């Protein structure tokens, strides 16, 4: 095993992530580690707690060789699309032998279940459950339970859901890359309490939303670089607040006509009417999401969908992005081992490496119609807009052009 990939969010980078990297290095001492990381927004549609360059640098300090950005048009998507975009990007780098991912159950059982997803009987059961009003995730977990006899709770755990989709995507898109499941260490994904030495990212974010974060306890679950950056951001009131997106959302929802709103990705079956109705009387973002969700459209899907509204991501845009897959590899941070990896990717990969966006897209291009830009430029423009959107969630919005100005971090 020469090069192992990890697809991650690192929101923030914590001791559990270090444990995963150390596990990989213990199994494969000679392996280099490439991380494909969400940028300014996470899969659930939330602004990342620290900017992508900070999180990438923490990953390199924590043992990764190279961190690349997973484009926003794949990062802020369902588990299936998130996994597919990540696997495609990893495969196109031309250097990866394995993909490591966390699980909360036995990896071999998940591999067996993943092999069943595309079988006719599971697909029939899946679509039957969706027609009955269940969300995709709920319908899939029920269909797999019927097929495999495993407990349905197994398929509802976020890490297991992603693990299934990673294995499935590798089978269809990158059979040469070996799946490497790693049993999750420490607290459960949804555990909101801090537990040394490994706590969930959600528990850590929750602690920083408190009036006085407990520094001593945080120091037991975070590496120094992450802890210091988070404490500095907290003290300077520089942690993003998703609630600040509420008024821009009201503006979008009130100015988009029915045809324009119906064209936004993932808005269908009259969901635009639920959004308009909720927007008419909601007083904050949480109320808007709560009033819009349903059995079929859970809060996580609504939250993502609202980011699509703000980014004006249309159904046809996503179809185009899905048809071509990731079109570039954006470099965020690397060390000396990562530097040699970049040289190898240039020789073996099929994607251009982006160190500065100005080599591919200028600020003037952002004002041009989509049809006048290349598919690569349109995909990169979404990353830039996502970074600008995250800046709106900060008390100080001065740095809205970061994506045009920032270079990769060399930690050699």
């Amino acid at each position: 095993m020469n090069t192992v990939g990890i697809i991650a969010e690192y929101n923030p980078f914590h001791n559990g992530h270090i444990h995963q990297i150390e596990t990989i290095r213990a199994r494969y001492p000679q392996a280099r580690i490439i991380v494909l990381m969400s940028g300014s927004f996470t899969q659930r549609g939330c602004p990342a707690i620290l900017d992508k360059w900070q999180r990438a640098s923490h990953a390199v300090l924590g043992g990764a060789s190279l961190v690349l950005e997973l484009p926003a048009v794949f990062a802020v998507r369902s588990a299936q699309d998130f996994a597919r975009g990540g696997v495609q990007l990893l495969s196109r780098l031309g250097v990866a032998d394995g993909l490591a991912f966390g699980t909360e159950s036995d990896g071999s059982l998940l591999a067996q279940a993943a092999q069943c997803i595309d079988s006719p009987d599971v697909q029939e059961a899946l679509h039957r459950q969706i027609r009955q009003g269940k969300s995709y995730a709920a319908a899939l977990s029920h269909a797999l339970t019927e097929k495999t006899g495993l407990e349905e709770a197994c398929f509802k755990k976020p890490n297991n859901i992603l693990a299934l989709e990673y294995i499935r995507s590798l089978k269809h898109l990158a059979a040469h890359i070996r799946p490497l499941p790693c049993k999750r260490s420490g607290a459960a994904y949804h555990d909101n309490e801090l537990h040394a030495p490994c706590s969930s990212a959600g528990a850590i974010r929750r602690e920083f939303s408190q009036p006085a974060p407990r520094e001593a306890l945080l120091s037991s679950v975070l590496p120094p670089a992450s802890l210091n950056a988070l404490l500095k951001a907290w003290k300077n009131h520089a942690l993003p607040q998703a609630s600040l997106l509420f008024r821009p959302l009201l503006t979008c929802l009130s100015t988009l006509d029915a045809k324009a709103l119906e064209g936004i990705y993932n808005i269908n079956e009259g969901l635009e009417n639920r959004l308009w109705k909720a927007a008419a009387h909601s007083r904050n973002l949480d109320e808007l999401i709560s009033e819009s969700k349903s059995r079929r459209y859970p809060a996580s899907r609504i939250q993502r969908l609202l980011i699509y509204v703000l980014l004006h991501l249309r159904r046809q845009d996503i179809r185009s992005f899905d048809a071509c897959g990731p079109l570039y590899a954006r470099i965020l941070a690397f060390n000396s081992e990562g530097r040699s990896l970049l040289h190898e990717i240039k020789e073996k990969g099929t994607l251009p490496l982006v160190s500065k966006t100005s080599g591919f897209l200028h600020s003037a291009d952002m004002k041009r119609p989509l049809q006048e830009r290349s598919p690569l430029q349109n995909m990169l423009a979404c990353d830039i807009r996502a970074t600008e959107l995250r800046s709106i969630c900060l008390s100080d919005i001065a740095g809205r052009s970061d994506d045009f100005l920032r270079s990769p971090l060399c930690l050699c």
Side-chain angles (χ1 to χ4, degrees):
M1 193 69 62
N2 294 316
T3 308
V4 174
I6 298 173
I7 304 169
E9 295 193 314
Y10 294 158
N11 189 40
F13 186 80
H14 56 65
N15 287 355
H17 301 130
I18 290 179
H19 171 77
Q20 183 188 40
I21 291 173
E22 289 177 345
T23 299
I24 294 168
R25 294 216 177 267
R27 290 183 190 174
Y28 311 104
Q30 305 304 315
R32 290 102 31 111
I33 296 176
I34 300 177
V35 175
L36 310 181
M37 190 187 77
S38 300
S40 297
F41 275 80
T42 66
Q43 190 203 352
R44 290 182 63 86
C46 299
I49 192 168
L50 294 171
D51 72 45
K52 55 192 176 187
W53 294 277
Q54 286 177 297
R55 288 157 38 237
S57 68
H58 299 162
V60 172
L61 292 171
S65 311
L66 169 66
V67 181
L68 306 172
E69 181 175 0
L70 179 63
V73 296
F74 302 105
V76 192
R77 299 281 295 281
S78 68
Q80 182 179 3
D81 300 313
F82 180 93
R84 184 176 66 246
V87 166
Q88 286 178 308
L89 177 52
L90 185 65
S91 177
R92 292 175 184 185
L93 298 177
V95 296
D97 308 301
L99 171 63
F101 48 85
T103 70
E104 296 176 61
S105 302
D106 184 274
S108 61
L109 294 177
L110 293 176
Q112 293 172 26
Q115 297 296 322
C116 299
I117 293 178
D118 295 305
S119 64
D121 48 348
V122 168
Q123 286 296 306
E124 192 281 328
L126 170 66
H127 291 293
R128 183 178 69 249
Q129 295 287 327
I130 290 175
R131 288 193 298 270
Q132 292 172 2
K134 287 189 176 182
S135 67
Y136 174 84
L140 180 61
S141 63
H142 188 83
L144 286 174
T145 298
E146 286 185 353
K147 176 70 174 180
T148 65
L150 296 172
E151 291 185 14
E152 189 167 357
C154 169
F155 303 118
K156 291 185 175 180
K157 297 176 180 178
N159 282 295
N160 286 352
I161 293 169
L162 272 172
L164 287 170
E165 296 297 350
Y166 289 140
I167 297 168
R168 183 186 186 190
S169 294
L170 288 172
K171 174 186 174 184
H172 291 294
L173 301 170
H176 61 286
I177 297 177
R178 180 180 162 194
L180 305 172
C182 300
K183 189 73 180 293
R184 181 184 175 87
S185 173
Y189 182 92
H190 289 304
D191 192 336
N192 282 326
E193 296 300 323
L194 292 176
H195 305 285
C198 295
S199 283
S200 71
I204 294 168
R205 293 193 301 273
R206 182 175 180 272
E207 187 67 21
F208 278 98
S209 70
Q210 303 303 309
R214 294 168 288 180
E215 293 188 30
L217 190 50
L218 285 165
S219 68
S220 68
V221 300
L222 287 166
S226 292
L227 176 64
N228 293 336
L230 286 163
L231 286 173
K232 180 179 178 181
W234 178 80
K235 289 172 182 175
N236 292 335
H237 306 286
L239 294 176
Q241 303 295 322
S243 59
L244 294 176
L245 296 176
F246 179 61
R247 293 194 178 190
L249 272 167
L250 289 185
T251 302
C252 285
L253 292 172
S254 65
T255 55
L256 289 174
D257 60 30
K259 185 176 180 180
L261 193 55
E262 287 171 5
I264 297 294
Y265 176 63
N266 253 5
I267 293 184
N268 47 35
E269 299 174 342
L271 185 53
E272 68 279 4
N273 295 318
R274 292 183 68 91
L275 289 172
W276 273 325
K277 183 178 178 181
H281 62 268
S282 296
R283 294 167 297 177
N284 54 56
L285 184 61
D286 288 341
E287 283 189 10
L288 178 60
I289 294 171
S290 180
E291 291 292 325
S292 302
K293 71 179 183 179
S294 66
R295 185 184 180 201
R296 184 158 187 174
Y297 300 106
S300 58
R301 179 169 174 178
I302 297 296
Q303 193 155 337
R304 278 196 300 267
L305 186 154
L306 294 175
I307 300 304
Y308 307 149
V309 172
L310 288 166
L311 293 175
H312 297 284
L313 265 176
R314 303 169 300 169
R315 195 175 296 113
Q316 65 207 63
D317 301 328
I318 293 295
R319 279 200 299 265
S320 174
F321 293 138
D322 285 347
C324 60
L327 294 173
Y328 52 85
R330 176 81 183 274
I331 309 165
L332 295 178
F334 58 92
N335 58 18
S336 56
E337 195 172 61
R339 190 197 296 277
S340 67
L341 256 175
L342 288 170
H343 290 300
E344 192 173 335
I345 290 169
K346 284 182 182 179
E347 294 176 1
K348 299 180 180 179
T350 59
L351 298 176
L353 291 169
V354 177
S355 55
K356 279 195 174 181
T357 59
S358 57
F360 298 84
L361 186 73
H362 297 282
S363 56
D365 295 322
M366 299 290 289
K367 300 177 179 65
R368 294 165 54 201
L370 273 72
Q371 59 269 24
E372 294 182 11
R373 299 191 306 236
S374 69
L376 184 153
Q377 288 178 316
N378 285 333
M379 190 175 291
L380 190 55
C382 287
D383 293 344
I384 292 168
R385 289 202 173 101
T387 299
E388 292 173 345
L389 193 60
R390 181 183 177 274
S391 74
I392 294 175
C393 300
L394 302 173
S395 56
D396 180 4
I397 61 172
R400 292 198 299 279
S401 300
D402 268 4
D403 256 320
F404 284 112
L405 303 174
R406 298 289 292 270
S407 298
L409 299 174
C410 177
L411 303 171
C412 299

